[in-house]
Amino acid sequence: MKVSLLALPESTPAALYGLYEVLSLAGVTWTQLTGEGDGIAHFDVAIVSTDGKGFNCAMGTPIAPHAAIGDIDKTDVII
């Protein structure tokens, strides 16, 4: 499942990068910890912005999008 996390200047870095980390590791971490499961990520996650360029959020933390939202061919979920 493809997930796009829309980064806006008002985004908080903890919410954005925390969600990226949690979703990216879903299906992977359990296998790493226990050896059980297939270890395949359940989500293909990308941080996107309106123009694909990096920026500093309101707190001053740099946000580095993977792409512009318009460059994403298909996404199942936009958050």
Side-chain angles (χ1 to χ4, degrees):
M1 177 178 286
K2 294 188 92 138
V3 177
S4 296
L5 302 175
L6 180 58
L8 300 170
E10 300 82 12
S11 300
T12 62
L16 185 64
Y17 287 119
L19 202 52
Y20 177 80
E21 181 180 4
V22 168
L23 292 173
S24 295
L25 294 175
V28 176
T29 304
W30 182 255
T31 300
Q32 291 174 342
L33 294 173
T34 66
E36 298 175 6
D38 56 17
I40 298 172
H42 294 292
F43 303 103
D44 178 11
V45 185
I47 296 173
V48 299
S49 66
T50 56
D51 60 6
K53 296 179 183 175
F55 61 91
N56 289 338
C57 69
M59 295 179 57
T61 304
I63 304 295
H66 298 106
I69 195 164
D71 294 338
I72 302 296
D73 294 330
K74 177 186 182 280
T75 191
D76 299 298
V77 178
I78 298 174
I79 299 174

